[in-house]
Amino acid sequence: MAEVILMPRLSDTMTEGVIAAWHKKVGDPVKKGDLLAEVETDKATMELESYKDGILLHTGADKGGKIQVNDLLAIIGNAGEDISGLLGAPAAAPAPAEKKETPKAAAAAPATAGLDISKMDEVVLMPRLSDTMEAGVIAAWHKKVGDPVKKGDILAEIETDKATMELESYKNGTLLHVGAQKGEKILVNGLLCIIGEKGKVDVDAIVAASKSGVVPAQAVAETAAAPADTAPVTATTPTIVAAAENGRVKASPLAKKIAKEKGLDLRLLQGTGDGGRITKADIDNYKPVAAATPVAQTTASAPVAVFAGSTEEGYTDIPNSQMRNVIAKRLGESKFGAPHFYLTMEINMDNAMAARTQLNEISPAKISFNDLVVKAVALALRQHPAINASWMGDKIRRYSHIHIGIAVAIEDGLIVPVVRFADQKSLPQIAAESKELAGKAKNKKLQPSEFTGNTFTISNLGMMDIDEFTAIINPPDSCILAVGRIKETVVRKGDGFGVSNFMKVTLSCDHRSVDGASGAAFLQTFKKYLENPITMLL
């Protein structure tokens, strides 16, 4: 059956999109994940991928044409299928398109029958807040039904599979209905809430048409991962914010002034104001505590509580978090879907250790061994583009950019913050960015742009005294590097013996896109950089 793809809202201010290019033409077969079109918004040019298989039966505009948000973009169905009943969208107006940078987005969901709540100003739908999100759990409501709401007010906190996000209202009105209570799930594009003028909105009709998909958090089986790096946000999606945005902590001007006078780091305080903003009262009530343990950059789970023995049989069921469900699903698909093979190499780290000591004497940010690994990987990927790739089913996608994912252990499992364009950054830049991302990961404050788009992943368990291990490939990457600890080893030196420091690494490769010789050549280059670290500075 033919399905309509609507023009998604791809930025918070977007009202229409310009067709910059079509990658399929009417009559072409389309597979799930295929690139359909490039759409220019008011902020960037986005790639839209198909969410289903079929034949492209209709396009809503030619190249250069404009399509309003939620109007007909395309129709995908079976060859020869009658689509005359679906061609009710307004005609597109031609307009020139200017090429810009090209992130990705998935195509918008199909139009629903009956009342189309996605076009109603009063309706707020659950946005897709991460690349793998199919549902969001209500972590907290900051407003209750009947409360007045102003544009910019924090409505709710939504737990995704990767972070807990705050959602701001984009309009003024009264909160008339919420689609779920704390601890419940709402599917992406399900009814999150209704904001409008009391007595002038038919709440019952909207709720009946919404099919919101609200179920108890513990009872929902995890849904499939989204095919693209970024997904569409509906016309009624609120603005996404976090307690610290772009490195800036949200605090009142007076709080900032007092904190500066007292020498307090605002990042250590928990704000009690609207949206988690730090107020004067928060500073007055602040009591210093012991510094938190730094987040380990590793794929290991967080430490569990010490076992307390019992004389009676029993057990405790711990409901899976959103993150744990997605970890299980995606890595299970990777392990059993991608044919893994493994390459292990031993690297002499004597020169790297000496270089790190010298660099940290002058570096503005403390450089870790993991930072050296990130830099060496990034530079090696320049010379071996076959490793910096993804298996796309009917093709292999080799990336011209290098985005390194670094696996970080947090309480619910693990997440992979991404150092973008790592090959272009200095070691101090990589060190500072990695530390900031790890801190955000621990506090669940990472934004979607900070944990998506990886082209290669590193998993380091060396700080936990692991000699060597194998890691499961992190989709959509073709490879992941497992890094063990640096270990002293007695070796022959001249006529006698001495001690050198060695580190073992294991490269897991997807044999569909990477051959053994390509993986081995990459490791040889990586080894040369670490054993001669001065070459990374040239």
Side-chain angles (χ1 to χ4, degrees), residues 244-501:
E245 299 173 328
N246 299 323
R248 296 183 294 105
V249 178
K250 295 197 294 185
S252 69
L254 179 58
K256 290 180 180 179
K257 180 177 182 295
I258 298 174
K260 184 176 182 181
E261 292 172 351
K262 292 186 175 184
L264 289 178
D265 186 349
L266 287 173
R267 292 173 297 181
L268 301 177
L269 278 69
Q270 179 68 44
T272 59
D274 187 24
R277 285 172 173 80
I278 298 170
T279 65
K280 177 180 180 296
D282 296 323
I283 294 179
D284 292 339
N285 296 329
Y286 173 69
K287 294 181 180 179
V289 295
T293 302
V295 177
Q297 293 180 342
T298 166
T299 56
S301 302
V304 297
V306 177
F307 176 74
S310 174
T311 58
E312 297 181 1
E313 293 182 349
Y315 58 86
T316 300
D317 289 332
I318 303 173
N320 289 341
S321 64
Q322 285 274 78
M323 179 179 292
R324 180 56 62 185
N325 279 328
V326 171
I327 289 171
K329 184 174 184 65
R330 295 194 75 202
L331 294 187
E333 290 173 347
S334 173
K335 179 66 175 177
F336 301 111
H340 286 52
F341 71 89
Y342 308 97
L343 302 170
T344 299
M345 179 175 282
E346 193 171 63
I347 299 172
N348 189 314
M349 293 294 288
D350 287 346
N351 290 337
M353 293 174 71
R356 175 177 176 261
T357 299
Q358 292 177 318
L359 286 168
N360 279 333
E361 291 177 358
I362 58 174
S363 174
K366 185 176 181 181
I367 297 169
S368 69
F369 287 112
N370 200 71
D371 299 326
L372 292 172
V373 170
V374 171
K375 181 68 173 179
V377 163
L379 293 178
L381 287 174
R382 281 185 182 178
Q383 300 180 43
H384 302 277
I387 307 301
N388 195 49
S390 294
W391 175 257
M392 305 300 291
D394 60 344
K395 58 182 175 287
I396 298 172
R397 178 170 294 169
R398 291 187 179 178
Y399 300 101
S400 56
H401 59 277
I402 295 173
H403 294 346
I404 305 297
I406 305 172
V408 173
I410 61 175
E411 183 179 357
D412 292 334
L414 63 95
I415 193 168
V416 184
V418 178
V419 177
R420 301 178 116 69
F421 305 104
D423 60 316
Q424 308 292 329
K425 294 177 177 176
S426 67
L427 280 166
Q429 287 175 316
I430 291 172
E433 189 171 336
S434 297
K435 182 178 180 181
E436 180 184 5
L437 289 171
K440 285 186 175 181
K442 178 183 177 183
N443 296 317
K444 292 189 174 182
K445 295 301 182 182
L446 286 172
Q447 296 298 293
S449 61
E450 295 173 320
F451 55 73
T452 58
N454 46 284
T455 62
F456 186 98
T457 299
I458 295 169
S459 177
N460 191 340
L461 288 175
M463 68 287 293
M464 302 185 74
D465 291 335
I466 300 300
D467 289 335
E468 62 178 301
F469 67 105
T470 58
I472 299 173
I473 295 169
N474 178 38
D477 301 349
S478 287
C479 298
I480 184 170
L481 186 70
V483 181
R485 70 174 176 139
I486 299 173
K487 184 179 180 181
E488 287 187 346
T489 303
V490 177
V491 296
R492 187 173 185 84
K493 291 188 176 182
D495 295 332
F497 294 89
V499 174
S500 283
N501 297 275

Side-chain angles (χ1 to χ4, degrees), residues 24 28-36 49-55 76 392-394:
K24 298 288 184 180
D28 282 353
V30 177
K31 294 182 179 179
K32 183 178 179 181
D34 280 357
L35 185 60
L36 282 178
E49 294 183 352
S50 175
Y51 63 86
K52 67 164 293 179
D53 299 333
I55 303 295
I76 296 176
M392 305 300 291
D394 60 344

Side-chain angles (χ1 to χ4, degrees), residues 65-117:
K66 291 182 180 179
I67 301 179
Q68 299 295 309
V69 169
N70 285 332
D71 279 351
L72 176 63
L73 175 67
I75 300 175
I76 296 176
N78 299 319
E81 190 171 352
D82 182 10
I83 60 171
S84 57
L86 302 176
L87 299 176
E98 179 184 352
K99 187 70 175 177
K100 300 181 182 178
E101 61 177 334
T102 311
K104 293 183 185 174
T112 55
L115 182 63
D116 187 355
I117 64 173

Side-chain angles (χ1 to χ4, degrees), residues 5 122 129 135 151 193 274 288-289 291-292 332 341 463:
I5 296 176
E122 297 83 7
L129 301 174
K151 184 177 180 179
C193 65
D274 187 24
V289 295
F341 71 89
M463 68 287 293

Side-chain angles (χ1 to χ4, degrees), residues 11 13 28 141 191 409 471 511:
S11 79
T13 56
D28 282 353
W141 280 105
L191 179 62
H511 215 328

